[in-house]
Amino acid sequence: MLPDQLLLRIPGPSPIPPSVQRAMSQPMIGHRGAETTALLQRIKPKLKPVFGTEQDVLLVTGSGTAGLEAAVANTSKPGDEVLVVVVGAFGDRFVKIAQAYQLQVHRLEVTWGEAANPEDISEYLKEYPEISSVFVTYCETSTGVLNPIKEIADAVHDVSEALVIVDGVSCVAGVETEFDEWGIDILVTGTQKAFMLPGGMFFAVVSERAWRVIEANPQPRFYLDLTKYRDGLEKDSTPFTPALSILFGLEQVLTLLEEEGLKQVYARHRLMRDMTRAAFRALDIPLLVEDAYASPTVTAIKPSDFDAELLRKQVKQDFNLAFAGGQQHMKGEIFRIGHMGYCSPADVLQVIGAVEIGLVKIGKQISLGAGTAAAQQIYLEQGVK
Amino acid sequence: MLPDQLLLRIPGPSPIPPSVQRAMSQPMIGHRGAETTALLQRIKPKLKPVFGTEQDVLLVTGSGTAGLEAAVANTSKPGDEVLVVVVGAFGDRFVKIAQAYQLQVHRLEVTWGEAANPEDISEYLKEYPEISSVFVTYCETSTGVLNPIKEIADAVHDVSEALVIVDGVSCVAGVETEFDEWGIDILVTGTQKAFMLPGGMFFAVVSERAWRVIEANPQPRFYLDLTKYRDGLEKDSTPFTPALSILFGLEQVLTLLEEEGLKQVYARHRLMRDMTRAAFRALDIPLLVEDAYASPTVTAIKPSDFDAELLRKQVKQDFNLAFAGGQQHMKGEIFRIGHMGYCSPADVLQVIGAVEIGLVKIGKQISLGAGTAAAQQIYLEQGVK
């Protein structure tokens, strides 16, 4: 195995582009000085299209989970009824946070590997009209399901005044996101997935409707009080010390996204998803998620006749190629391939070529190259602009 | 195409490992200070096994060509008869340098794509007993031929007192090199190929026999006077300003080579060669060089029914994957794939997967995945320790 080569194909953190790595190694500047003001002024307008919003995108030092907590703490108080749509491990995370805040949590459980059904949500809200917020995951990292956020937001707004609060951690910047148009109220995402940065900050967007709820909410909070970040950003500042290196890198990420073009970025992610899925189909290895809800950023594979963990170990040993295993009850049942951010169709071909070797090595009968050929065929059909 | 991703598969410069890149970005130190002395003391013993020698390996700031010139200028004077074995463009480079120094150059021409025949060399030397040096290329970058240096050195020593001077630029650190055992007199190589560094320095090893010739040689020289580097290195120093960043990187390169183990490094290069060759064979695309003399670091492909330049453009456009074209009369006739240094079998699978797509896009009829499968088969047969 080649020392110093790690093929990081887990669903986050994802690899960091060299130019972003270089940008992050800029010398420190004062976070209350003119340089940081100028940096934030440059970043602010470029972040908006990634979220599909005219709102400022708030920049908070903390992980994605801090972002989920901020969404809960800013909008709810003990006793509030909320609905959490749980399609996997990260829906579960929302539940735990809501419980910690002593909310009255309704849990709408969806079988892992399936997407949330908007109609089920509106039916639920009709039955429990006191529900004030609906929490839903955009891409469920644990299964590779992409929930239909636009349809879910429509379904909520049709029957209720509840806020639509979305965890976009493992997909925003890799899939189309239209915060304003879809009627999302709060959207939170982290830096370490399709944003091609290390973990360390989260982004949040808040609708005008949600700001009114937040401002009226008596729930005590300080560091995660989103109004502080909104007011800071209006003056091109942050209320507390920002993770400056990540902001340096973020500026370069936004340049890369602009250079490639967001539409093309999203098309590339769909292409990588389709190549990956076609390959496993050709190898006769089951996918966890059906086509309609498969995320462009992560694919879960559910082998029927070999040990997922054995394959993970094999490709790690041979190629230092890292996949993720399953979480919770899916542990050992599935493995997950990240294809987001700094990942190309050529990288997908590499992954598949290595997987085929791994499969043979763990004793599965396959036709070598068959998965590769299927992925190549998809590439040729969809092309790259 | 993914911005910021360049798949650099030319026969040098080759990609730089991230840990080497980081090592190279260390702050400057004084090159006459204790830190540099200590750095050279650490580097010196670790370089020797890479060249298979007990001699000190000289470190000179300059490109590989400066190294070739140093070999000529230190051993010969105007009018000296020398034999240059020309198997490609870099044999030609030796001729030009020798002519610039007004040597009497005998040129033993070998068809591009073939290796030098040791018997032809000894026959030549018998015919011209005044020849004082034989210049030969170890790996000929322009064709991907690996000359049998041990056999050539034996053939020279059997019939002559001539020095055996070897250009090892595009292979040392990627293929077995036994300077002492094989009876090489001068070996020169650059930093930007299998040494996984940027260009900027060359390494030279000189036999005791060659030092005697060098010391007796009246040819004027100053910067490239190798005795200065020998004497400097004995005191853990360099006679002139060294390219310090490259020395920082070199220390890390030597750590990586040690970590993987030289035997394994060489096995990996042979494996990558064999995977590449098997893939093109399976696709029914001719290779320039026969198996016995194919270099583990670079493979030349000579298409019979498609335009080499068209394929190069296609994979560059689709994947930002860079191959080299042909040089001199081979321009447009061949393309060359570098698989040296920071390159893994997984990278070779990526290259082949992308090439197959490129071939279809330029209109060649192939069976998608067939080249990949052949390479995978080789991997499975040879394995990786």
Side-chain angles (χ1 to χ4, degrees):
Chain A
M1 197 166 64
L2 182 63
D4 211 22
Q5 182 179 62
L6 171 61
L7 303 172
L8 186 66
R9 298 297 167 215
I10 60 175
S14 66
I16 298 172
S19 66
V20 175
Q21 201 71 264
R22 289 195 301 278
M24 288 183 55
S25 61
Q26 286 171 52
M28 280 299 116
I29 55 180
H31 61 276
R32 296 288 171 240
E35 293 88 352
T36 299
T37 304
L39 176 64
L40 289 170
Q41 282 169 345
R42 292 194 301 272
I43 285 173
K44 272 166 67 174
K46 292 190 176 181
L47 260 179
K48 294 181 180 189
V50 183
F51 291 83
T53 186
E54 292 300 319
Q55 305 289 326
D56 274 347
V57 178
L58 310 182
L59 307 161
V60 186
T61 307
S63 79
T65 299
L68 305 187
E69 175 163 350
V72 171
N74 280 268
T75 56
S76 309
K77 59 183 183 308
D80 279 2
E81 277 187 64
V82 299
L83 174 64
V84 182
V85 183
V86 180
V87 308
F90 287 91
D92 216 46
R93 180 74 53 95
F94 256 144
V95 170
K96 287 201 176 77
I97 295 168
Q99 285 169 341
Y101 278 80
Q102 298 157 16
L103 312 188
Q104 196 180 323
V105 180
H106 295 264
R107 189 184 168 112
L108 181 59
E109 201 76 41
V110 177
T111 306
W112 283 41
E114 292 178 15
N117 180 351
E119 265 182 49
D120 292 348
I121 295 171
S122 52
E123 287 307 309
Y124 203 103
L125 291 173
K126 278 190 236 169
E127 201 169 333
Y128 299 94
E130 295 303 307
I131 287 172
S132 56
S133 291
V134 177
F135 295 89
V136 61
T137 316
Y138 191 177
C139 172
E140 174 52 62
T141 320
S142 63
T143 61
V145 160
L146 193 78
N147 276 312
I149 295 300
K150 179 186 185 305
E151 289 72 15
I152 289 171
D154 284 346
V156 172
H157 299 321
D158 280 352
V159 299
S160 151
E161 290 298 309
L163 297 177
V164 175
I165 298 176
V166 176
D167 165 2
V169 171
S170 62
C171 65
V172 173
V175 302
E176 199 188 5
T177 305
E178 296 293 346
F179 182 89
D180 293 347
E181 195 185 312
W182 295 353
I184 304 171
D185 289 298
I186 298 185
L187 175 63
V188 165
T189 191
T191 41
Q192 79 281 13
K193 309 264 183 174
F195 266 101
M196 307 184 276
L197 290 161
M201 293 195 81
F202 72 83
F203 305 122
V205 192
V206 177
S207 71
E208 285 173 22
R209 209 163 72 99
W211 279 125
R212 288 193 291 273
V213 172
I214 289 172
E215 279 162 356
N217 182 25
Q219 170 68 36
R221 72 262 190 194
F222 189 80
Y223 181 70
L224 291 179
D225 181 353
L226 292 176
T227 62
K228 290 189 166 69
Y229 293 88
R230 176 195 60 189
D231 299 347
L233 205 54
E234 268 174 21
K235 294 170 291 178
D236 303 313
S237 178
T238 57
F240 312 115
T241 307
L244 268 175
S245 299
I246 295 183
L247 293 183
F248 294 154
L250 174 59
E251 184 176 20
Q252 176 59 18
V253 163
L254 293 169
T255 300
L256 291 176
L257 293 177
E258 207 171 63
E259 191 182 306
E260 186 175 2
L262 279 178
K263 274 193 181 164
Q264 174 52 27
V265 170
Y266 303 149
R268 170 167 56 80
H269 281 81
R270 288 192 301 268
L271 172 60
M272 295 193 295
R273 169 195 65 195
D274 294 347
M275 288 171 72
T276 305
R277 293 172 66 84
F280 284 96
R281 283 228 168 86
L283 295 168
D284 209 20
I285 297 170
L287 300 161
L288 178 65
V289 176
E290 63 179 285
D291 285 347
Y293 300 109
S295 172
T297 56
V298 50
T299 297
I301 293 102
K302 194 173 186 311
S304 54
D305 59 357
F306 65 88
D307 180 349
E309 290 303 294
L310 207 60
L311 179 68
R312 285 216 298 142
K313 271 183 209 141
Q314 191 67 54
V315 296
K316 189 70 170 56
Q317 184 185 311
D318 273 61
F319 303 108
N320 211 12
L321 169 58
F323 296 145
Q327 291 175 295
Q328 298 184 13
H329 69 275
M330 286 287 189
K331 206 173 156 79
E333 297 292 308
I334 62 170
F335 65 96
R336 294 172 298 146
I337 302 178
H339 34 75
M340 64 176 83
Y342 188 60
C343 185
S344 70
D347 294 326
V348 172
L349 292 176
Q350 179 175 57
V351 164
I352 296 165
V355 161
E356 290 179 332
I357 286 176
L359 288 168
V360 171
K361 281 196 146 187
I362 65 168
K364 180 160 166 66
Q365 298 278 334
I366 61 156
S367 171
L368 276 176
T372 300
Q376 290 171 323
Q377 194 57 52
I378 294 288
Y379 180 93
L380 288 166
E381 284 163 15
Q382 295 193 9
V384 163
K385 300 302 165 294
Chain B
M1 198 166 62
L2 183 63
D4 212 25
Q5 181 178 62
L6 171 61
L7 303 172
L8 187 65
R9 297 298 167 212
I10 61 175
S14 66
I16 298 172
S19 66
V20 175
Q21 201 71 267
R22 289 195 301 276
M24 288 183 58
S25 62
Q26 286 171 53
M28 281 299 116
I29 56 181
H31 62 276
R32 295 287 171 243
E35 293 88 351
T36 299
T37 305
L39 176 64
L40 289 171
Q41 282 169 345
R42 292 194 301 272
I43 286 173
K44 271 165 67 175
K46 293 190 175 184
L47 258 179
K48 293 180 180 189
V50 184
F51 292 82
T53 186
E54 292 301 318
Q55 305 289 326
D56 274 347
V57 178
L58 311 182
L59 307 161
V60 186
T61 307
S63 80
T65 299
L68 305 187
E69 175 163 350
V72 171
N74 280 269
T75 57
S76 308
K77 58 185 186 302
D80 279 2
E81 277 187 63
V82 299
L83 174 63
V84 182
V85 183
V86 180
V87 308
F90 286 91
D92 216 49
R93 180 76 52 93
F94 256 144
V95 170
K96 289 201 174 79
I97 295 167
Q99 286 169 340
Y101 277 79
Q102 298 158 16
L103 311 188
Q104 196 180 323
V105 180
H106 295 263
R107 187 184 168 111
L108 181 58
E109 199 77 39
V110 178
T111 306
W112 283 41
E114 291 177 15
N117 180 352
E119 265 182 50
D120 292 350
I121 294 170
S122 54
E123 286 308 308
Y124 203 105
L125 290 173
K126 278 191 238 169
E127 201 170 333
Y128 299 93
E130 296 303 308
I131 286 172
S132 57
S133 293
V134 177
F135 294 89
V136 61
T137 316
Y138 191 177
C139 172
E140 173 54 61
T141 320
S142 64
T143 61
V145 160
L146 193 79
N147 276 312
I149 295 301
K150 180 186 185 304
E151 290 73 14
I152 289 170
D154 284 346
V156 172
H157 298 321
D158 280 352
V159 300
S160 151
E161 291 297 309
L163 297 177
V164 175
I165 298 176
V166 177
D167 165 2
V169 171
S170 62
C171 65
V172 174
V175 303
E176 199 188 3
T177 305
E178 296 294 346
F179 182 89
D180 293 348
E181 195 185 311
W182 295 352
I184 304 172
D185 290 297
I186 297 185
L187 174 62
V188 165
T189 191
T191 41
Q192 79 281 14
K193 309 263 183 177
F195 266 101
M196 308 184 274
L197 289 161
M201 294 195 81
F202 71 83
F203 306 122
V205 192
V206 178
S207 71
E208 284 171 24
R209 209 163 72 100
W211 279 126
R212 290 194 289 274
V213 173
I214 288 172
E215 277 162 357
N217 183 25
Q219 171 67 37
R221 71 265 188 191
F222 189 81
Y223 180 71
L224 292 179
D225 182 353
L226 292 176
T227 63
K228 290 190 166 70
Y229 292 88
R230 176 195 61 189
D231 299 346
L233 205 53
E234 270 174 20
K235 296 170 287 175
D236 303 312
S237 177
T238 57
F240 312 114
T241 308
L244 268 176
S245 299
I246 294 183
L247 293 183
F248 294 154
L250 175 59
E251 185 177 21
Q252 175 58 18
V253 163
L254 294 168
T255 300
L256 291 177
L257 292 177
E258 208 172 61
E259 190 182 308
E260 187 175 2
L262 279 177
K263 272 192 183 165
Q264 173 53 28
V265 170
Y266 303 150
R268 169 167 56 82
H269 281 81
R270 288 192 302 269
L271 172 60
M272 295 194 295
R273 170 195 64 195
D274 295 347
M275 288 171 72
T276 305
R277 292 173 65 83
F280 284 97
R281 283 229 168 85
L283 294 168
D284 208 21
I285 298 170
L287 300 160
L288 178 66
V289 177
E290 63 179 284
D291 284 348
Y293 300 110
S295 172
T297 55
V298 49
T299 296
I301 292 102
K302 192 173 187 309
S304 55
D305 58 357
F306 64 88
D307 180 348
E309 291 303 294
L310 207 58
L311 179 68
R312 285 216 299 143
K313 269 183 211 144
Q314 190 70 53
V315 296
K316 188 73 170 55
Q317 184 184 313
D318 273 61
F319 302 108
N320 212 12
L321 169 58
F323 296 145
Q327 291 176 295
Q328 297 182 15
H329 69 277
M330 286 286 187
K331 206 174 156 78
E333 297 292 308
I334 62 170
F335 65 97
R336 294 171 297 147
I337 302 178
H339 35 76
M340 64 176 81
Y342 188 61
C343 186
S344 70
D347 293 326
V348 171
L349 292 176
Q350 179 175 55
V351 163
I352 296 164
V355 161
E356 291 179 332
I357 285 176
L359 287 168
V360 171
K361 281 197 145 185
I362 65 167
K364 180 161 166 65
Q365 298 277 335
I366 62 155
S367 170
L368 277 176
T372 300
Q376 289 170 323
Q377 194 57 51
I378 295 289
Y379 180 94
L380 287 166
E381 284 163 16
Q382 296 193 9
V384 164
K385 301 297 163 292

